[in-house]
Amino acid sequence: MRFDVLTLFPDMIENYCSLSIMKRARENNIIDVSTINPRDFSLDKHKKVDDTPYGGGAGMVLMAQPYVDAYESIIKYENSLTVMLTPQGKTFDEQMCVDFAKYEQIILICGHYEGFDERIRDIIKPYEVSIGDFVLTGGELPALCLIDSVSRKLDGTLGKLLSAEEDSFSNGLLEYPQYTKPREYRGYKVPEVLLNGNHSEIEKYRREESLKRTKERRSDLLE
Ligand code: ADE
């Protein structure tokens, strides 16, 4: 899967995607991440990408021309989706993540500090996504959340595919508690059931713990 990210801060995207699991997924050609900077498309001699809002008001507005030209320069795959990261979008969740993983290419449009000139929406017609009801200074962190969570759905990104399937949300429940060595730490013991090698009992215990945790913390998921 290919991600093309329109951003005024390409280093933010590049840095994150050059580490850990994203780095490995790129090296293994499971994902390809490219950035494109609208500033490089500005026709202004000072490479300006924003201006004051018509009608007045505080702040600046991202200009249509650099964004639209940058967007139009991207080679589009047949099975491609364009996403704009804004607090006004549909809230991102696990189902959206699964749906997005079916595309060959996702183009991500990030703003920074300020709003988009509405004509960017009129012309590009992106699908708008929010990562929650709070406002960030830019769309880069939301874009990275999307790249990261969609990438880990793709075969080969995680060492064992199973570890994605057993995560919180993928079966509609929160994840059960996990333990590793030692058996006892500061008086806290690993539950006996995990030590006896009885796989059906372990599965039953984990399912019950998942249900218990979901009921306590996120009863909305059970409904
Ligand atoms: N840009 C600023 N805040 C955002 C949010 N919560 N989700 C997506 N994009 C954003």
Side-chain angles (χ1 to χ4, degrees), residues 3-181:
F3 297 96
D4 291 278
V5 189
L6 253 89
T7 169
L8 296 168
F9 296 90
D11 287 353
M12 289 180 72
I13 305 297
E14 200 41 61
N15 287 346
Y16 184 80
C17 295
S18 302
L19 294 166
S20 183
I21 293 178
M22 295 299 107
K23 177 186 178 193
R24 205 178 58 202
R26 287 170 96 183
E27 285 171 354
N28 293 338
N29 294 318
I30 296 160
I31 58 166
D32 191 354
V33 182
S34 289
T35 57
I36 181 154
N37 192 338
R39 199 175 295 284
D40 296 337
F41 291 79
S42 171
L43 300 176
D44 178 80
K45 66 171 183 281
H46 303 296
K47 298 281 172 205
K48 207 167 130 91
V49 289
D50 57 3
D51 214 327
T52 52
Y54 277 120
M60 301 284 272
V61 177
L62 293 164
M63 295 160 79
Q65 177 271 320
Y67 272 86
V68 172
D69 283 356
Y71 178 76
E72 289 181 343
S73 79
I74 296 170
I75 295 164
K76 314 277 182 318
Y77 289 25
E78 217 167 278
N79 184 16
S80 160
L81 174 74
T82 299
V83 172
M84 178 186 263
L85 290 314
T86 75
Q88 301 158 43
K90 191 166 175 344
T91 310
F92 193 57
D93 64 9
E94 188 68 12
Q95 186 55 52
M96 213 189 272
C97 188
V98 170
D99 294 342
F100 285 3
K102 293 173 189 149
Y103 288 92
E104 271 180 276
Q105 178 188 35
I106 300 184
I107 300 169
L108 297 154
I109 304 174
C110 307
H112 217 86
Y113 315 125
E114 42 223 339
F116 294 100
D117 185 309
E118 191 61 20
R119 290 163 296 186
I120 300 174
R121 291 185 170 90
D122 295 337
I123 294 165
I124 295 177
K125 299 186 173 56
Y127 184 71
E128 289 188 48
V129 172
S130 164
I131 60 159
D133 289 341
F134 49 88
V135 181
L136 294 159
T137 55
E140 286 76 12
L141 286 174
L144 288 170
C145 288
L146 192 150
I147 293 171
D148 185 298
S149 58
V150 171
S151 296
R152 64 196 292 298
K153 295 283 174 208
L154 306 176
D155 275 7
T157 296
L158 300 179
K160 274 196 298 176
L161 193 60
L162 213 57
S163 44
E165 283 165 6
E166 288 185 2
D167 271 338
S168 289
F169 300 117
S170 40
N171 62 358
L173 300 174
L174 301 184
E175 203 184 6
Y176 48 79
Q178 299 261 42
Y179 298 87
T180 185
K181 293 179 183 67

